[in-house]
Amino acid sequence: MHGIPGFSIFSAISELFVTAGVLFVIRRNWTRRPFPFALFLTVSLFEALVNVMYMANRSAVAAAKTASGGETLSTGLKIAFAAHGLLSLVAYLVFVLLGVLAYQEFKGGRYFFRERPGLTWTFLVVWFISIGSGEALFALRYLK
């Protein structure tokens, strides 16, 4: 893995742990168990402070390299990175929104994710597309 930025490796691996946390939060609510608010908050803050910042940092580095005549990416790869970044940001924001709603519902004795299977499964599909596209872009970019 020579030449791969350390932060890129960390982000690619940490996304898998974040996904495990997202799945745990949803599964716990789905199975009518207490809402894991501390884990939800930890996963949400980690994702915002580390992985969203990572994407912003990588975007800035790519723009600076292109402007300075350094490494350039193909138009297709730029579009793929931008689409992945937008999808990831939307998936993250939806997770935060759904998690807050699920916590509020739990406090009222209801189980948000269990009571909304269509919304829950749609969110999970979007989340996995986001994670899968990120891991695929990491592989295309650094493991060629």
Side-chain angles (χ1 to χ4, degrees):
M1 290 196 194
H2 179 68
I4 303 173
F7 197 15
S8 294
I9 295 168
F10 176 77
S11 184
I13 293 169
S14 71
E15 278 297 343
L16 301 176
F17 287 99
V18 167
T19 297
V22 168
L23 290 173
F24 185 84
V25 167
I26 291 172
R27 174 132 171 78
R28 186 122 167 140
N29 188 258
W30 187 277
T31 57
R32 296 185 173 100
R33 302 200 47 218
F35 188 83
F37 184 75
L39 177 64
F40 165 70
L41 191 59
T42 300
V43 167
S44 297
L45 289 173
F46 180 85
E47 184 70 3
L49 298 173
V50 175
N51 290 322
V52 172
M53 288 296 111
Y54 165 75
M55 284 193 285
N57 174 271
R58 292 306 300 159
S59 296
V61 168
K65 284 184 180 178
T66 300
S68 67
E71 177 186 26
T72 58
L73 300 173
S74 70
T75 301
L77 205 48
K78 287 178 188 177
I79 291 170
F81 277 117
H84 164 69
L86 288 172
L87 181 63
S88 296
L89 183 58
V90 167
Y92 165 72
L93 293 173
V94 169
F95 173 66
V96 171
L97 175 65
L98 296 180
V100 168
L101 292 173
Y103 179 63
Q104 294 297 319
E105 292 279 310
F106 172 73
K107 290 192 317 185
R110 294 173 303 279
Y111 297 90
F112 183 85
F113 292 110
R114 177 77 178 202
E115 294 168 7
R116 294 163 182 82
L119 178 63
T120 300
W121 287 107
T122 300
F123 165 73
L124 286 172
V125 166
V126 171
W127 183 269
F128 276 99
I129 291 170
S130 168
I131 297 305
S133 66
E135 299 297 329
L137 286 169
F138 176 86
L140 283 171
R141 178 81 172 96
Y142 296 116
L143 304 179
K144 48 186 167 167

